[in-house]
Amino acid sequence: MSWQDKFSLDAKSIQASEIRELLKILEDPEILSFAGGIPDPDLFPMDRVKAIRDAMEEDPVSDRQSMQYSQTEGFAPLRDWVAENVSTPLNRIERDNILITNGAQQSLTLLSTILLEAGTKLAVASPTYLGALQVFGTRRPQYVTVQTDEDGIIPDSLEEAFKAGATFFYTVPDFQNPGGMTIPEDRRREIIRLAHQYNVGIIEDTAYRALYYDAPPPPSLLDIDCEFVGEGNWQEKGLVIQLGTASKTLMPALRVGWTIAPKVILEKLVLLKQANDLHTSTVNQIVTFELLSNDLDAHVEKLRNVYRQRKDAMLDALRQYLPNSATFTAPGGGMFVWIMLPEGLDAKHLLKKSLEEEKIAFVPGGAFYADEARHNTLRLSFSTCSPDVIRDGMRRLSALIQKEHLAKVA
Amino acid sequence: MSWQDKFSLDAKSIQASEIRELLKILEDPEILSFAGGIPDPDLFPMDRVKAIRDAMEEDPVSDRQSMQYSQTEGFAPLRDWVAENVSTPLNRIERDNILITNGAQQSLTLLSTILLEAGTKLAVASPTYLGALQVFGTRRPQYVTVQTDEDGIIPDSLEEAFKAGATFFYTVPDFQNPGGMTIPEDRRREIIRLAHQYNVGIIEDTAYRALYYDAPPPPSLLDIDCEFVGEGNWQEKGLVIQLGTASKTLMPALRVGWTIAPKVILEKLVLLKQANDLHTSTVNQIVTFELLSNDLDAHVEKLRNVYRQRKDAMLDALRQYLPNSATFTAPGGGMFVWIMLPEGLDAKHLLKKSLEEEKIAFVPGGAFYADEARHNTLRLSFSTCSPDVIRDGMRRLSALIQKEHLAKVA
């Protein structure tokens, strides 16, 4: 039997990426990787996890319930924590606005299913989060791309996209993956104004929002939307859906994230989540809740201190070693620095060289574009290496870039 | 903004079920519930879980890795365990045939996305698993229903469905949810023969297969398919995809299940799973693997002994109390007994009465039909109550059925 003949159109649209193949080499322990957007496991709060598990085991009835089926919406105290965390004086977000998902990635999947049709016009930044493009792609939307600069989304370009008929706009406003840019407050206000003018729904992905190393980021698009529509009006008039996750501040393998949305959306998402996988792991939700609701600030402050040093080490080294023909972003948080190579250099080719000659890995930037990929870009992550290793890696990578550039212009 | 106007066609097809609303009342601790198809938490192997966690904590590096991102395909030793568990002398199932999912429910979701298009003809039993209908429904297939008797799927009716153009057939051959029926070996062989004759893909859901209380069930459809296509040919010629889960034999909140499929399917599923939620919780996969690979037989034997008593108590009480105008199935395993009420009685109406007058809950059968629902059916689960409670519940429910029947015919 030919299974391929039986694949749906959506299935046919799903293709293995070249990057996925290239990065399989990361399993080699000799590779120095700046590729993964992953937290450092040495910073995981394992002592707290142990204490939480021990406390759970002392109450056998609820310990057993932590392994039982539970309601699709999620663990109520966790939903309450999320609601409390995003409520503002102008707008109360309630438990019924929160759905717990398997990481923010599943939030994107559920939203894609209920909001996207083949051909739906969807605005995304150039570049944007690869995982979002992967899941949107399974619904075969028509992308309308929005240009960015060092301050993220350019409002004029966004208005062009809205005029071109975009129904939804997906954005990572804080320390963007992959670019590292943060959208300033004035642009955020303009984004919300334009979205209301053109009646466009916004999906705001806040994965990196808590990981700031200099100043906290500006108010979220959700905050500004609540202010824009006026006190108490968000349930009816709000157009921002916000996604959050415990993967970056706590631990990815809990697979706990959430969607914050007006109730009309949330009810539909709950029905779909129930059909898709019943609910997120009960025990993992309980552990997440306990971690979020006790001493979170101290834990996140510790992350900030460690990641800040790594970020600074990467930026200092790039300032010192990267040839002037290449430029890079200077993020105030998150995990990523974005490099624009001289025109004519191809980051995929550079990766092959880099793996062969320096055993250094990064992610070529082309995959982060919904269209018109710029292949002379690449993403570096500073989250898992020590400052010394980062400095050494940047020195060697910069030398390789210089060598490749000189070979090109020679 | 009107979000409803922006919903996709798939979203519009997702509707809240009446049952979901009715059964919300189950949170009332005074309700005696035969509704949920859930395992008894008193049987969860919590001591083993504690021992596994303690052992993990003794190796801090791998303990931290258990909370890190991991590969989409799943934890390799768990995939190997599944492969070993389903391999036969005639056919080696390999690690690359296994994808770990968030329970078998997510396996259904991923398969629905890659195999179903709006309008795809999909054969399902009448009745069949409600959760499968819910997820298939999000893809808007065209159902072709297959009649059943006390031995499950009727082959002549299946051939009619295949002649009518069904592309896929979903089935729960062992101790079916909801009907409790098990398909005998001769019918299984006929199903595989017909599927090859008509070139139909089969999705075999083995959720209850290990929970047999009398004899073990016949060879799986996957086993028979391997035999049918001949030694070593399944990768190329097999047409059975099998789903399994740890939810019924171990604990549901681990949210660990798996898909066993030829590689051409599996590769597509992995890409989709990566887009949908990256991977299943690493720590939960490790705990599942440890539980499955150590003393599983003794644990499952304990489950069988407890559930057997409950099943026997339910069947004995129904034989004693249920009016002859109603019939019931006599399952050899699983969790469910299916009751056919006298014609003209409506199980949804009966549930309202039952909740009001007896505080007893069950699931009306109508929701388990893809079309032409028989509303005089209901599903009882014996998995969570003691034999005494079951006997008392069946006596009272039977009396109510008798009363309603007499009122109807009077």
Side-chain angles (χ1 to χ4, degrees):
Chain A
M1 179 159 118
S2 165
W3 286 101
Q4 285 100 327
D5 293 348
K6 293 183 184 273
F7 282 158
S8 67
L9 291 174
D10 290 344
K12 287 173 185 157
S13 76
I14 305 168
Q15 297 297 337
S17 76
E18 281 175 81
I19 294 180
R20 193 177 143 86
E21 297 310 308
L22 270 176
L23 294 182
K24 278 191 176 162
I25 200 169
L26 288 184
E27 287 162 24
D28 177 350
E30 291 196 359
I31 298 286
L32 171 55
S33 176
F34 301 105
I38 64 177
D40 185 341
D42 286 344
L43 299 170
F44 291 169
M46 301 309 291
D47 289 348
R48 289 272 301 127
V49 171
K50 178 171 167 43
I52 291 165
R53 285 173 176 164
D54 288 349
M56 287 171 73
E57 284 160 6
E58 279 177 24
D59 179 353
V61 172
S62 62
D63 197 30
R64 287 174 185 282
Q65 284 304 320
S66 77
M67 289 291 181
Q68 183 59 290
Y69 285 115
S70 58
Q71 63 170 355
T72 302
E73 291 85 341
F75 183 55
L78 178 58
R79 297 169 73 204
D80 289 343
W81 182 90
V82 174
E84 190 58 40
N85 197 46
V86 293
S87 285
T88 63
L90 279 179
N91 201 70
R92 269 229 54 79
I93 305 285
E94 294 164 18
R95 183 192 292 179
D96 287 347
N97 295 117
I98 314 294
L99 170 65
I100 306 300
T101 57
N102 304 331
Q105 191 70 26
Q106 193 191 32
S107 295
L108 284 172
T109 299
L110 299 174
L111 285 167
S112 295
T113 303
I114 72 158
L115 298 178
L116 302 183
E117 211 77 77
T120 298
K121 287 185 182 171
L122 172 63
V124 295
S126 259
T128 194
Y129 170 48
L130 171 59
L133 294 178
Q134 283 177 328
V135 63
F136 296 148
T138 65
R139 302 291 293 178
R140 297 177 287 128
Q142 184 181 339
Y143 288 114
V144 193
T145 52
V146 181
Q147 298 312 305
T148 59
D149 59 21
E150 65 278 13
D151 286 334
I153 292 298
I154 299 172
D156 283 351
S157 178
L158 186 66
E159 184 161 15
E160 288 303 311
F162 290 177
K163 276 186 184 160
T167 318
F168 299 102
F169 169 45
Y170 167 74
T171 181
V172 187
D174 317 303
F175 322 119
Q176 193 221 33
N177 179 359
M181 307 90 79
T182 294
I183 306 175
E185 184 165 349
D186 57 339
R187 285 197 182 182
R188 291 182 188 227
R189 293 193 179 280
E190 183 64 4
I191 288 168
I192 294 299
R193 193 190 65 72
L194 288 169
H196 279 277
Q197 180 181 340
Y198 290 94
N199 192 32
V200 174
I202 294 181
I203 300 172
E204 177 184 35
D205 186 341
T206 67
Y208 302 93
R209 186 167 173 78
L211 294 181
Y212 55 83
Y213 312 133
D214 303 322
S220 72
L221 294 175
L222 176 62
D223 291 341
I224 296 171
D225 191 35
C226 288
E227 190 185 325
F228 188 93
V229 296
E231 188 163 351
N233 287 332
W234 179 75
Q235 294 290 351
E236 291 299 319
K237 297 186 177 168
L239 46 61
V240 173
I241 297 170
Q242 191 182 84
L243 317 183
T245 179
S247 294
K248 311 302 179 187
T249 43
L250 297 175
M251 295 169 291
L254 294 166
R255 306 309 302 125
V256 173
W258 45 84
T259 309
I260 304 158
K263 286 174 191 166
V264 57
I265 303 276
L266 206 93
E267 285 161 11
K268 201 57 109 171
L269 290 174
V270 169
L271 294 173
L272 181 62
K273 165 92 179 161
Q274 183 179 48
N276 277 9
D277 64 2
L278 306 181
H279 63 85
T280 292
S281 168
T282 321
V283 57
N284 288 4
Q285 291 187 70
I286 295 172
V287 170
T288 302
F289 167 71
E290 293 293 338
L291 290 169
L292 288 175
S293 57
N294 290 295
D295 293 327
L296 178 66
D297 287 349
H299 171 66
V300 174
E301 197 52 40
K302 186 175 126 189
L303 298 185
R304 287 183 193 130
N305 287 333
V306 174
Y307 289 145
R308 181 188 297 113
Q309 291 172 25
R310 295 174 184 182
K311 184 262 288 178
D312 287 344
M314 184 170 279
L315 294 180
D316 287 347
L318 289 172
R319 281 187 199 106
Q320 189 173 350
Y321 300 119
L322 195 67
N324 277 329
S325 53
T327 60
F328 58 94
T329 56
M335 297 182 172
F336 306 109
V337 173
W338 184 249
I339 294 196
M340 186 87 70
L341 300 168
E343 287 290 340
L345 282 197
D346 183 320
K348 270 194 288 195
H349 172 78
L350 184 71
L351 175 60
K352 275 182 203 160
K353 285 272 181 189
S354 174
L355 288 170
E356 281 165 20
E357 297 180 13
E358 300 291 343
K359 289 197 175 277
I360 288 177
F362 54 80
V363 183
F368 296 96
Y369 291 87
D371 59 13
E372 296 175 16
R374 294 190 195 166
H375 293 290
N376 63 326
T377 59
L378 63 90
R379 189 190 77 176
L380 295 171
S381 166
F382 51 78
S383 56
T384 52
C385 299
S386 73
D388 283 350
V389 170
I390 289 172
R391 268 185 291 268
D392 177 57
M394 292 306 102
R395 186 182 52 75
R396 287 155 53 201
L397 181 62
S398 295
L400 180 67
I401 290 170
Q402 178 71 330
K403 190 175 87 172
E404 290 292 306
H405 180 50
L406 292 179
K408 201 88 189 178
V409 296
Chain B
M1 177 158 120
S2 164
W3 285 101
Q4 285 99 327
D5 293 348
K6 293 182 184 273
F7 281 158
S8 67
L9 291 172
D10 289 344
K12 287 172 186 158
S13 75
I14 305 168
Q15 299 296 337
S17 76
E18 280 177 81
I19 292 178
R20 192 175 143 87
E21 297 310 310
L22 269 175
L23 295 182
K24 277 192 178 163
I25 200 168
L26 287 184
E27 286 162 25
D28 177 351
E30 291 195 359
I31 298 286
L32 173 55
S33 176
F34 301 105
I38 65 178
D40 186 340
D42 287 344
L43 300 169
F44 291 168
M46 300 309 289
D47 289 347
R48 288 274 301 128
V49 171
K50 179 170 166 42
I52 291 164
R53 285 173 176 165
D54 288 349
M56 287 171 74
E57 285 160 5
E58 279 177 26
D59 179 353
V61 172
S62 64
D63 198 28
R64 288 176 185 279
Q65 284 303 320
S66 78
M67 289 293 180
Q68 184 60 290
Y69 286 115
S70 58
Q71 65 170 354
T72 301
E73 291 86 339
F75 183 54
L78 178 57
R79 297 169 73 203
D80 288 343
W81 182 90
V82 173
E84 190 58 39
N85 197 46
V86 293
S87 285
T88 64
L90 278 180
N91 202 69
R92 270 228 57 78
I93 305 285
E94 295 165 17
R95 183 193 290 178
D96 288 348
N97 296 119
I98 314 295
L99 170 65
I100 305 300
T101 58
N102 305 330
Q105 190 71 25
Q106 192 190 33
S107 295
L108 284 172
T109 300
L110 298 175
L111 286 167
S112 295
T113 303
I114 72 158
L115 298 179
L116 301 183
E117 212 77 75
T120 298
K121 288 185 181 170
L122 173 63
V124 296
S126 258
T128 194
Y129 170 48
L130 170 58
L133 294 178
Q134 284 177 328
V135 62
F136 295 148
T138 66
R139 301 290 294 178
R140 296 176 289 129
Q142 184 182 337
Y143 288 114
V144 192
T145 53
V146 181
Q147 298 312 306
T148 59
D149 59 20
E150 66 278 13
D151 286 334
I153 293 298
I154 299 172
D156 283 352
S157 179
L158 187 67
E159 184 162 15
E160 288 303 313
F162 290 177
K163 277 186 184 161
T167 318
F168 300 103
F169 168 46
Y170 167 75
T171 180
V172 187
D174 317 304
F175 322 119
Q176 193 222 31
N177 179 0
M181 307 91 78
T182 294
I183 305 176
E185 182 164 348
D186 58 338
R187 284 197 182 182
R188 293 182 187 224
R189 293 192 179 279
E190 183 65 4
I191 289 168
I192 293 299
R193 194 191 64 74
L194 288 169
H196 279 276
Q197 180 180 343
Y198 291 93
N199 193 31
V200 174
I202 294 181
I203 300 172
E204 177 183 35
D205 185 341
T206 66
Y208 302 95
R209 186 164 173 81
L211 295 181
Y212 56 84
Y213 313 132
D214 304 323
S220 70
L221 294 175
L222 176 62
D223 291 342
I224 296 171
D225 191 35
C226 288
E227 190 185 325
F228 188 92
V229 297
E231 187 163 351
N233 287 332
W234 179 75
Q235 295 289 352
E236 291 300 318
K237 297 186 179 169
L239 48 56
V240 173
I241 297 170
Q242 190 182 85
L243 317 183
T245 179
S247 294
K248 311 303 179 187
T249 43
L250 297 176
M251 297 169 289
L254 293 168
R255 306 309 302 126
V256 173
W258 47 82
T259 309
I260 304 158
K263 285 174 191 168
V264 58
I265 304 277
L266 206 92
E267 284 162 12
K268 202 57 111 171
L269 291 173
V270 169
L271 294 174
L272 181 63
K273 163 93 178 159
Q274 183 179 48
N276 277 9
D277 63 3
L278 305 183
H279 63 85
T280 291
S281 168
T282 321
V283 57
N284 289 2
Q285 291 187 68
I286 295 171
V287 170
T288 301
F289 167 70
E290 294 293 338
L291 290 168
L292 288 174
S293 57
N294 290 295
D295 293 329
L296 178 67
D297 288 349
H299 172 66
V300 174
E301 198 51 41
K302 187 175 125 189
L303 298 185
R304 286 183 194 130
N305 287 332
V306 174
Y307 290 144
R308 180 188 297 113
Q309 291 173 24
R310 295 174 184 182
K311 184 262 288 181
D312 287 344
M314 184 170 277
L315 293 180
D316 288 348
L318 288 171
R319 281 187 198 105
Q320 189 173 354
Y321 300 119
L322 195 68
N324 277 329
S325 54
T327 60
F328 58 95
T329 56
M335 298 182 170
F336 306 110
V337 173
W338 183 248
I339 294 196
M340 185 87 69
L341 300 168
E343 287 289 339
L345 281 197
D346 183 321
K348 270 194 288 194
H349 172 80
L350 184 71
L351 176 59
K352 276 182 202 158
K353 287 270 182 190
S354 174
L355 287 169
E356 281 164 21
E357 297 180 15
E358 301 291 344
K359 290 196 174 279
I360 288 176
F362 54 80
V363 183
F368 297 94
Y369 291 88
D371 60 11
E372 297 175 15
R374 294 191 193 165
H375 293 289
N376 64 327
T377 58
L378 63 91
R379 189 191 76 176
L380 295 170
S381 166
F382 51 78
S383 56
T384 53
C385 300
S386 73
D388 284 350
V389 169
I390 289 172
R391 270 185 288 270
D392 177 58
M394 292 306 102
R395 186 183 51 74
R396 287 153 56 200
L397 181 61
S398 295
L400 180 66
I401 291 170
Q402 178 72 328
K403 192 174 87 174
E404 290 292 305
H405 180 50
L406 293 178
K408 201 88 190 176
V409 296

